[in-house]
Coordinates of all heavy atoms in Angstrom, one line a residue:
M264 N 138.1 139.9 160.5 CA 136.8 139.1 160.5 C 137.0 137.9 161.4 O 138.2 137.5 161.8 CB 136.5 138.5 159.1 CG 136.4 139.5 158.0 SD 134.7 140.3 158.1 CE 135.0 141.8 157.3
E265 N 135.9 137.4 162.0 CA 135.9 136.3 162.9 C 136.4 135.1 162.3 O 137.0 134.2 162.9 CB 134.5 136.1 163.5 CG 134.2 136.9 164.7 CD 133.0 136.5 165.4 OE1 132.6 135.3 165.3 OE2 132.3 137.3 165.9
T266 N 136.1 134.9 161.0 CA 136.6 133.7 160.3 C 137.1 134.1 158.9 O 136.8 135.1 158.4 CB 135.2 132.8 160.1 OG1 135.6 131.6 159.5 CG2 134.1 133.4 159.4
D267 N 137.9 133.2 158.4 CA 138.4 133.4 157.1 C 137.5 132.9 155.9 O 137.8 133.1 154.8 CB 139.8 132.9 156.9 CG 139.9 131.4 157.1 OD1 138.9 130.8 157.5 OD2 141.0 130.9 157.0
W268 N 136.3 132.3 156.3 CA 135.4 131.8 155.4 C 134.7 133.0 154.7 O 134.3 134.0 155.4 CB 134.4 130.9 156.1 CG 133.3 130.4 155.2 CD1 133.5 129.2 154.4 CD2 132.0 130.9 154.9 NE1 132.3 129.0 153.6 CE2 131.5 130.0 153.9 CE3 131.4 131.9 155.3 CZ2 130.2 130.3 153.4 CZ3 130.1 132.2 154.8 CH2 129.5 131.3 153.9
A269 N 134.4 132.9 153.5 CA 133.7 134.0 152.8 C 132.5 133.3 152.1 O 132.6 132.2 151.5 CB 134.5 134.7 151.8
P270 N 131.4 133.8 152.1 CA 130.1 133.3 151.5 C 130.2 133.0 150.0 O 129.5 132.2 149.5 CB 129.0 134.2 151.8 CG 129.6 135.5 152.4 CD 131.0 135.2 152.7
W271 N 131.1 133.8 149.3 CA 131.2 133.6 147.9 C 132.2 132.4 147.5 O 132.4 132.1 146.4 CB 131.5 134.9 147.2 CG 132.7 135.5 147.8 CD1 134.0 135.3 147.6 CD2 132.5 136.6 148.8 NE1 134.7 136.1 148.3 CE2 133.8 136.9 149.1 CE3 131.5 137.1 149.4 CZ2 134.2 137.9 150.1 CZ3 131.8 138.2 150.4 CH2 133.1 138.5 150.7
H272 N 132.8 131.8 148.5 CA 133.6 130.6 148.2 C 132.8 129.4 147.9 O 132.2 128.9 148.8 CB 134.5 130.4 149.4 CG 135.6 131.4 149.5 ND1 136.4 131.5 150.6 CD2 136.1 132.4 148.7 CE1 137.2 132.5 150.6 NE2 137.1 133.1 149.4
F273 N 132.8 129.0 146.6 CA 132.0 127.9 146.2 C 132.9 126.6 146.1 O 134.1 126.8 145.8 CB 131.4 128.2 144.8 CG 130.6 127.1 144.3 CD1 129.3 126.8 144.6 CD2 131.1 126.2 143.3 CE1 128.6 125.8 144.2 CE2 130.4 125.1 142.8 CZ 129.1 124.9 143.2
A274 N 132.4 125.5 146.4 CA 133.2 124.2 146.3 C 132.3 123.3 145.5 O 131.1 123.1 145.9 CB 133.5 123.8 147.7
W275 N 132.9 122.6 144.5 CA 132.1 121.6 143.9 C 131.9 120.4 144.8 O 130.7 119.7 144.7 CB 132.9 121.1 142.6 CG 132.9 122.1 141.5 CD1 134.0 122.8 141.2 CD2 131.8 122.4 140.7 NE1 133.5 123.6 140.2 CE2 132.3 123.4 139.8 CE3 130.5 122.0 140.6 CZ2 131.4 124.0 138.9 CZ3 129.7 122.6 139.7 CH2 130.1 123.6 138.8
D276 N 132.8 120.1 145.7 CA 132.6 119.0 146.6 C 132.3 119.5 148.0 O 133.1 119.5 149.0 CB 133.9 118.1 146.6 CG 133.7 116.9 147.6 OD1 132.6 116.5 147.9 OD2 134.8 116.4 147.9
F277 N 131.1 120.1 148.2 CA 130.7 120.7 149.5 C 130.7 119.8 150.7 O 131.0 120.2 151.8 CB 129.4 121.4 149.3 CG 129.5 123.0 149.1 CD1 128.7 123.4 148.1 CD2 130.2 123.7 149.8 CE1 128.8 124.8 147.8 CE2 130.3 125.1 149.5 CZ 129.6 125.6 148.5
N278 N 130.3 118.6 150.4 CA 130.4 117.7 151.6 C 131.7 117.0 151.9 O 131.8 116.2 152.8 CB 129.3 116.6 151.5 CG 129.5 115.7 150.3 OD1 130.5 115.7 149.6 ND2 128.5 114.7 150.1
T279 N 132.7 117.4 151.1 CA 134.1 117.0 151.3 C 134.3 115.5 151.5 O 135.1 114.9 152.2 CB 134.8 117.7 152.5 OG1 134.1 117.3 153.7 CG2 134.7 119.1 152.4
D280 N 133.5 114.7 150.6 CA 133.7 113.2 150.6 C 134.7 112.8 149.6 O 134.9 111.6 149.4 CB 132.3 112.5 150.5 CG 131.7 112.8 149.2 OD1 132.2 113.6 148.4 OD2 130.7 112.2 148.9
G281 N 135.3 113.7 148.9 CA 136.3 113.3 147.8 C 135.8 113.1 146.5 O 136.5 112.7 145.5
A282 N 134.4 113.3 146.3 CA 133.8 113.1 145.0 C 132.7 114.0 144.8 O 132.0 114.4 145.8 CB 133.3 111.6 144.9
I283 N 132.4 114.4 143.6 CA 131.2 115.3 143.3 C 130.1 114.4 143.0 O 130.1 113.5 142.0 CB 131.5 116.1 142.1 CG1 132.7 117.1 142.4 CG2 130.3 116.9 141.7 CD1 133.3 117.8 141.2
T284 N 129.1 114.3 143.9 CA 127.9 113.5 143.8 C 126.7 114.2 143.9 O 126.6 115.4 144.1 CB 128.0 112.4 144.9 OG1 127.9 113.1 146.1 CG2 129.3 111.6 144.8
I285 N 125.5 113.4 143.8 CA 124.2 114.1 143.9 C 124.0 114.7 145.2 O 123.2 115.6 145.4 CB 123.1 113.0 143.5 CG1 121.8 113.7 143.3 CG2 123.0 112.0 144.6 CD1 121.7 114.4 142.1
S286 N 124.7 114.3 146.3 CA 124.6 114.8 147.6 C 125.1 116.3 147.6 O 124.6 117.1 148.4 CB 125.4 114.0 148.6 OG 125.0 112.7 148.6
D287 N 126.0 116.6 146.7 CA 126.5 118.0 146.7 C 125.5 118.9 146.1 O 125.5 120.1 146.3 CB 127.8 118.0 145.9 CG 129.0 117.3 146.5 OD1 129.2 117.6 147.7 OD2 129.5 116.4 145.9
V288 N 124.5 118.4 145.2 CA 123.7 119.4 144.6 C 122.8 120.1 145.6 O 122.6 121.3 145.4 CB 122.8 118.6 143.5 CG1 121.7 119.4 142.9 CG2 123.6 117.9 142.4
G289 N 122.3 119.4 146.5 CA 121.5 120.1 147.5 C 122.3 121.2 148.3 O 121.7 122.2 148.6
L290 N 123.5 120.9 148.6 CA 124.4 121.9 149.3 C 124.7 123.1 148.3 O 124.8 124.1 148.7 CB 125.7 121.1 149.7 CG 125.4 120.0 150.7 CD1 126.8 119.3 151.1 CD2 124.9 120.6 152.0
W291 N 124.8 122.8 147.0 CA 124.9 124.0 146.1 C 123.8 124.8 146.1 O 123.9 126.0 146.1 CB 125.2 123.4 144.6 CG 126.3 122.6 144.4 CD1 127.4 122.5 145.1 CD2 126.5 121.7 143.2 NE1 128.4 121.5 144.5 CE2 127.8 121.0 143.4 CE3 125.7 121.3 142.2 CZ2 128.2 120.1 142.5 CZ3 126.2 120.4 141.3 CH2 127.4 119.8 141.5
L292 N 122.6 124.2 146.1 CA 121.3 125.1 146.1 C 121.2 125.8 147.5 O 120.8 127.0 147.5 CB 120.1 124.1 145.9 CG 120.0 123.5 144.5 CD1 118.9 122.5 144.5 CD2 119.9 124.6 143.4
K293 N 121.6 125.1 148.5 CA 121.6 125.8 149.9 C 122.5 127.0 149.9 O 122.2 128.1 150.3 CB 122.0 124.8 151.0 CG 122.0 125.4 152.3 CD 122.4 124.5 153.4 CE 122.6 125.2 154.7 NZ 123.1 124.2 155.8
W294 N 123.8 126.8 149.3 CA 124.8 127.9 149.2 C 124.2 129.0 148.4 O 124.3 130.2 148.8 CB 126.1 127.3 148.6 CG 127.1 128.4 148.2 CD1 127.9 128.9 149.2 CD2 127.2 129.0 147.0 NE1 128.7 129.9 148.5 CE2 128.3 129.9 147.2 CE3 126.7 128.9 145.8 CZ2 128.7 130.7 146.2 CZ3 127.1 129.7 144.8 CH2 128.1 130.6 144.9
L295 N 123.6 128.7 147.3 CA 123.0 129.8 146.4 C 121.9 130.6 147.1 O 121.8 131.8 147.1 CB 122.6 129.1 145.2 CG 122.1 130.1 144.1 CD1 123.2 131.1 143.6 CD2 121.5 129.4 142.9
F296 N 121.0 129.8 147.8 CA 119.9 130.5 148.5 C 120.4 131.4 149.6 O 120.0 132.5 149.7 CB 119.0 129.5 149.1 CG 117.9 130.1 149.9 CD1 116.8 130.7 149.3 CD2 118.0 130.1 151.3 CE1 115.9 131.4 150.1 CE2 117.0 130.8 152.1 CZ 116.0 131.4 151.5
F297 N 121.3 131.0 150.4 CA 121.8 131.8 151.5 C 122.9 132.8 151.1 O 123.3 133.7 152.0 CB 122.5 130.9 152.6 CG 121.4 130.3 153.5 CD1 121.0 128.9 153.2 CD2 120.8 130.9 154.5 CE1 120.1 128.3 154.1 CE2 119.8 130.4 155.4 CZ 119.5 129.0 155.1
L298 N 123.3 132.9 149.9 CA 124.3 133.8 149.5 C 124.0 135.2 149.8 O 125.0 135.9 150.4 CB 124.6 133.6 148.0 CG 125.8 134.4 147.4 CD1 127.1 134.0 148.2 CD2 126.0 134.1 145.9
P299 N 122.9 135.8 149.5 CA 122.7 137.2 149.9 C 122.8 137.5 151.3 O 123.5 138.5 151.8 CB 121.2 137.5 149.3 CG 121.0 136.4 148.3 CD 121.8 135.2 148.8
G300 N 122.1 136.7 152.2 CA 122.2 136.9 153.6 C 123.5 136.7 154.2 O 124.0 137.4 155.1
D301 N 124.2 135.6 153.8 CA 125.5 135.3 154.3 C 126.6 136.4 153.9 O 127.4 136.8 154.6 CB 126.0 133.9 153.8 CG 125.4 132.8 154.5 OD1 124.6 133.0 155.4 OD2 125.5 131.7 154.0
T302 N 126.4 137.0 152.7 CA 127.3 138.0 152.3 C 127.0 139.3 153.1 O 128.1 140.0 153.5 CB 127.1 138.3 150.7 OG1 127.3 137.2 150.0 CG2 128.0 139.4 150.3
T303 N 125.8 139.6 153.4 CA 125.5 140.8 154.2 C 126.1 140.6 155.6 O 126.7 141.5 156.1 CB 124.0 141.0 154.3 OG1 123.5 141.2 153.0 CG2 123.6 142.2 155.2
A304 N 125.9 139.3 156.2 CA 126.5 139.1 157.5 C 128.0 139.3 157.5 O 128.6 139.7 158.4 CB 126.1 137.7 157.9
Y305 N 128.6 138.7 156.4 CA 130.0 138.7 156.3 C 130.7 140.2 156.4 O 131.6 140.4 157.1 CB 130.5 138.1 154.9 CG 132.0 138.1 154.8 CD1 132.8 137.1 155.3 CD2 132.6 139.1 154.0 CE1 134.2 137.2 155.1 CE2 133.9 139.1 153.7 CZ 134.7 138.2 154.3 OH 136.1 138.2 154.1
F306 N 130.0 141.0 155.7 CA 130.5 142.5 155.7 C 130.0 143.2 157.0 O 130.7 144.2 157.3 CB 130.0 143.2 154.4 CG 130.7 142.8 153.2 CD1 130.1 142.1 152.2 CD2 132.0 143.1 153.1 CE1 130.8 141.7 151.1 CE2 132.8 142.8 151.9 CZ 132.1 142.1 150.9
L307 N 129.1 142.7 157.8 CA 128.8 143.4 158.9 C 129.5 142.9 160.2 O 129.5 143.6 161.2 CB 127.1 143.3 159.2 CG 126.3 144.1 158.3 CD1 124.9 143.8 158.5 CD2 126.6 145.6 158.3
V308 N 130.0 141.7 160.1 CA 130.7 141.1 161.3 C 131.8 142.0 161.6 O 132.6 142.5 160.7 CB 131.3 139.7 161.0 CG1 132.2 139.2 162.0 CG2 130.0 138.7 160.9
G309 N 132.0 142.4 162.9 CA 133.1 143.3 163.3 C 132.8 144.7 163.3 O 133.5 145.5 163.7
T310 N 131.6 145.1 162.7 CA 131.4 146.5 162.7 C 130.4 146.8 163.9 O 129.9 146.0 164.6 CB 130.5 146.8 161.4 OG1 129.2 146.1 161.3 CG2 131.3 146.5 160.1
A311 N 130.1 148.1 164.1 CA 129.3 148.5 165.2 C 127.9 147.9 165.1 O 127.3 147.3 166.0 CB 129.2 150.0 165.3
L312 N 127.3 148.0 163.8 CA 126.0 147.3 163.6 C 126.0 145.9 163.7 O 125.1 145.3 164.3 CB 125.5 147.7 162.1 CG 124.2 147.2 161.8 CD1 123.1 147.7 162.7 CD2 123.9 147.5 160.3
G313 N 127.1 145.3 163.2 CA 127.2 143.8 163.4 C 127.4 143.3 164.8 O 126.7 142.3 165.2
N314 N 128.1 144.1 165.6 CA 128.2 143.8 167.0 C 126.9 144.0 167.7 O 126.5 143.2 168.6 CB 129.3 144.7 167.6 CG 130.7 144.3 167.2 OD1 130.9 143.2 166.7 ND2 131.6 145.2 167.3
F315 N 126.2 145.0 167.4 CA 124.8 145.3 167.9 C 124.0 144.1 167.7 O 123.1 143.7 168.5 CB 124.2 146.6 167.5 CG 122.8 146.8 168.0 CD1 122.6 147.3 169.3 CD2 121.8 146.7 167.1 CE1 121.3 147.5 169.7 CE2 120.5 146.9 167.6 CZ 120.3 147.3 168.9
M316 N 124.0 143.6 166.4 CA 123.1 142.5 166.0 C 123.6 141.1 166.4 O 123.1 140.1 166.1 CB 122.8 142.6 164.5 CG 122.2 143.8 164.1 SD 122.0 144.0 162.3 CE 121.1 142.7 161.8
E317 N 124.7 141.1 167.1 CA 125.5 139.9 167.5 C 125.8 138.9 166.3 O 125.5 137.7 166.4 CB 124.7 139.2 168.6 CG 124.5 140.1 169.8 CD 123.7 139.4 171.0 OE1 123.2 138.2 170.7 OE2 123.5 140.0 172.0
L318 N 126.3 139.5 165.3 CA 126.6 138.7 164.1 C 128.1 138.1 164.3 O 128.9 138.8 164.8 CB 126.6 139.5 162.8 CG 125.2 140.1 162.4 CD1 125.3 140.9 161.2 CD2 124.2 139.0 162.2
G319 N 128.1 136.9 163.8 CA 129.4 136.2 163.9 C 129.4 135.0 163.0 O 128.5 134.8 162.1
A320 N 130.3 134.1 163.1 CA 130.4 132.9 162.3 C 129.1 132.1 162.4 O 128.8 131.4 161.4 CB 131.6 132.1 162.7
Q321 N 128.5 132.1 163.5 CA 127.2 131.4 163.6 C 126.1 132.0 162.8 O 125.0 131.3 162.6 CB 126.8 131.4 165.1 CG 126.2 132.6 165.6 CD 127.1 133.7 166.0 OE1 128.3 133.5 165.9 NE2 126.6 134.9 166.4
S322 N 126.3 133.1 162.2 CA 125.2 133.8 161.5 C 125.0 133.3 160.1 O 124.0 133.4 159.4 CB 125.5 135.3 161.4 OG 125.5 135.9 162.7
Y323 N 126.1 132.6 159.6 CA 126.0 132.0 158.2 C 125.1 130.8 158.2 O 125.2 129.9 159.0 CB 127.4 131.6 157.8 CG 128.4 132.7 157.7 CD1 129.7 132.5 158.5 CD2 128.2 133.9 157.1 CE1 130.6 133.5 158.5 CE2 129.2 135.0 157.2 CZ 130.3 134.8 157.9 OH 131.2 135.8 157.8
G324 N 124.1 130.9 157.3 CA 123.1 129.9 157.1 C 122.1 129.9 158.3 O 121.4 128.9 158.4
S325 N 122.0 131.0 159.0 CA 121.1 131.0 160.1 C 119.7 131.5 159.7 O 119.4 131.7 158.5 CB 121.6 132.0 161.2 OG 121.5 133.3 160.5
V326 N 118.7 131.5 160.6 CA 117.3 131.9 160.2 C 117.4 133.4 159.7 O 116.7 133.7 158.7 CB 116.4 131.8 161.4 CG1 115.0 132.5 161.2 CG2 116.3 130.3 161.9
G327 N 118.1 134.2 160.4 CA 118.2 135.7 159.9 C 118.7 135.8 158.5 O 118.2 136.5 157.7
S328 N 119.8 135.0 158.2 CA 120.4 135.0 156.9 C 119.3 134.5 155.9 O 119.2 135.0 154.8 CB 121.6 134.2 156.8 OG 122.1 134.1 155.6
G329 N 118.6 133.5 156.4 CA 117.5 133.0 155.4 C 116.4 133.9 155.1 O 116.0 133.9 154.0
V330 N 116.0 134.6 156.2 CA 115.0 135.6 155.9 C 115.5 136.7 155.0 O 114.7 137.1 154.1 CB 114.4 136.2 157.3 CG1 113.6 137.4 157.0 CG2 113.8 135.1 158.1
L331 N 116.6 137.2 155.2 CA 117.2 138.3 154.4 C 117.4 137.7 152.9 O 117.1 138.4 152.0 CB 118.5 138.8 155.0 CG 119.2 139.9 154.2 CD1 118.3 141.1 154.2 CD2 120.5 140.3 154.9
S332 N 117.9 136.5 152.8 CA 118.0 135.9 151.5 C 116.8 135.8 150.7 O 116.6 136.0 149.5 CB 118.8 134.5 151.6 OG 120.0 134.7 152.1
A333 N 115.7 135.2 151.5 CA 114.4 135.0 150.8 C 113.8 136.4 150.4 O 113.3 136.5 149.2 CB 113.4 134.4 151.9
F334 N 114.0 137.4 151.1 CA 113.6 138.8 150.8 C 114.4 139.2 149.5 O 113.8 139.8 148.7 CB 113.8 139.8 151.9 CG 113.3 141.2 151.6 CD1 112.0 141.5 151.5 CD2 114.3 142.1 151.4 CE1 111.6 142.9 151.3 CE2 113.9 143.5 151.1 CZ 112.6 143.8 151.0
A335 N 115.7 139.0 149.5 CA 116.5 139.5 148.4 C 116.1 138.8 147.1 O 115.9 139.4 146.0 CB 118.0 139.3 148.7
W336 N 115.8 137.4 147.1 CA 115.5 136.6 146.1 C 114.0 137.1 145.6 O 113.7 137.1 144.3 CB 115.5 135.1 146.3 CG 116.9 134.6 146.4 CD1 117.6 134.2 147.5 CD2 117.9 134.6 145.4 NE1 118.8 133.7 147.2 CE2 119.0 134.0 145.9 CE3 117.8 135.0 144.0 CZ2 120.2 133.9 145.1 CZ3 119.0 134.8 143.3 CH2 120.2 134.3 143.8
F337 N 113.1 137.4 146.5 CA 111.9 137.9 146.1 C 111.9 139.2 145.4 O 111.3 139.4 144.3 CB 111.0 138.0 147.3 CG 109.6 138.5 147.0 CD1 108.6 137.8 146.4 CD2 109.3 139.9 147.4 CE1 107.3 138.3 146.2 CE2 108.0 140.4 147.1 CZ 107.1 139.6 146.5
I338 N 112.7 140.1 145.9 CA 112.9 141.4 145.2 C 113.5 141.3 143.9 O 113.1 141.9 142.9 CB 113.7 142.3 146.1 CG1 113.1 142.7 147.3 CG2 114.2 143.6 145.3 CD1 111.8 143.5 147.3
G339 N 114.5 140.3 143.7 CA 115.0 139.9 142.4 C 114.0 139.4 141.4 O 113.9 139.8 140.2
Y340 N 113.1 138.5 142.0 CA 112.1 137.9 141.2 C 111.1 139.0 140.7 O 110.7 139.0 139.5 CB 111.4 136.9 142.0 CG 110.2 136.3 141.3 CD1 110.3 135.4 140.2 CD2 108.9 136.6 141.8 CE1 109.2 134.8 139.6 CE2 107.8 136.0 141.1 CZ 108.0 135.1 140.0 OH 106.9 134.6 139.4
V341 N 110.7 139.9 141.6 CA 109.7 141.0 141.2 C 110.3 141.9 140.2 O 109.8 142.3 139.2 CB 109.3 141.8 142.5 CG1 108.6 143.1 142.1 CG2 108.4 140.9 143.4
F342 N 111.6 142.2 140.3 CA 112.3 143.0 139.4 C 112.4 142.4 138.0 O 112.2 143.0 137.0 CB 113.8 143.3 139.9 CG 114.6 144.1 138.9 CD1 114.4 145.4 138.8 CD2 115.6 143.5 138.1 CE1 115.2 146.1 137.8 CE2 116.3 144.2 137.2 CZ 116.1 145.5 137.1
L343 N 112.7 141.1 138.0 CA 112.7 140.4 136.6 C 111.3 140.3 136.0 O 111.2 140.5 134.8 CB 113.2 138.9 136.8 CG 114.7 138.8 137.1 CD1 115.1 137.3 137.3 CD2 115.5 139.3 135.8
L344 N 110.2 140.2 136.8 CA 108.9 140.2 136.2 C 108.6 141.5 135.7 O 108.0 141.7 134.7 CB 107.9 139.8 137.3 CG 107.7 138.4 137.7 CD1 106.7 138.2 138.8 CD2 107.3 137.6 136.4
A345 N 108.9 142.6 136.5 CA 108.6 144.0 136.0 C 109.5 144.3 134.7 O 109.0 145.0 133.8 CB 109.0 145.0 137.1
T346 N 110.6 143.8 134.7 CA 111.6 144.1 133.5 C 111.0 143.4 132.2 O 111.0 144.0 131.2 CB 113.0 143.7 133.8 OG1 113.4 144.4 135.0 CG2 113.9 144.0 132.7
F347 N 110.7 142.1 132.3 CA 110.4 141.3 131.1 C 109.0 141.1 130.9 O 108.6 140.5 129.9 CB 111.1 140.0 131.2 CG 112.5 140.0 131.2 CD1 113.3 139.8 132.3 CD2 113.3 140.4 130.1 CE1 114.7 139.9 132.4 CE2 114.6 140.5 130.0 CZ 115.3 140.4 131.2
N348 N 108.1 141.7 131.7 CA 106.6 141.6 131.5 C 106.1 143.0 131.1 O 106.2 143.9 131.8 CB 106.0 141.1 132.8 CG 104.6 140.5 132.5 OD1 104.2 140.4 131.4 ND2 104.0 140.1 133.6
D349 N 105.5 143.0 129.9 CA 105.0 144.3 129.4 C 103.9 144.8 130.3 O 103.1 145.2 130.6 CB 104.6 144.2 128.0 CG 105.7 143.8 127.1 OD1 106.8 144.3 127.2 OD2 105.5 142.9 126.3

């Protein structure tokens, strides 16, 4: 891989200021939102498809990752509605 960072690595102190504060909450939400797209990019980096799509470390948290994540969260939401709604 291009980087040893993995999208599923969570940190309580995301802004690395030495304390867990309200500033970290927004970063937790950002991490959670981008998780599906960043995970997909992580597994595609270095593959033929990933090279074709020019995926790399810059892909984490990018527009493409955001679009893929939004789609994944929408599909999850629809699935939950269909499951729990008679």
Side-chain angles (χ1 to χ4, degrees):
M264 301 285 157
E265 273 187 34
T266 179
D267 57 357
W268 180 86
W271 47 86
H272 289 166
F273 179 80
W275 288 106
D276 183 19
F277 262 129
N278 64 2
T279 65
D280 64 354
I283 299 171
T284 63
I285 194 71
S286 300
D287 294 307
V288 174
L290 297 173
W291 299 338
L292 295 174
K293 179 181 174 187
W294 172 83
L295 185 63
F296 174 77
F297 280 100
L298 189 60
D301 286 352
T302 301
T303 302
Y305 178 83
F306 284 110
L307 289 178
V308 168
T310 65
L312 179 59
N314 291 337
F315 175 76
M316 297 175 62
E317 298 180 0
L318 296 177
Q321 77 282 357
S322 302
Y323 303 126
S325 67
V326 171
S328 177
V330 169
L331 184 59
S332 294
F334 181 72
W336 288 115
F337 177 75
I338 294 299
Y340 176 72
V341 168
F342 176 77
L343 284 175
L344 281 180
T346 302
F347 295 109
N348 202 3
D349 299 316

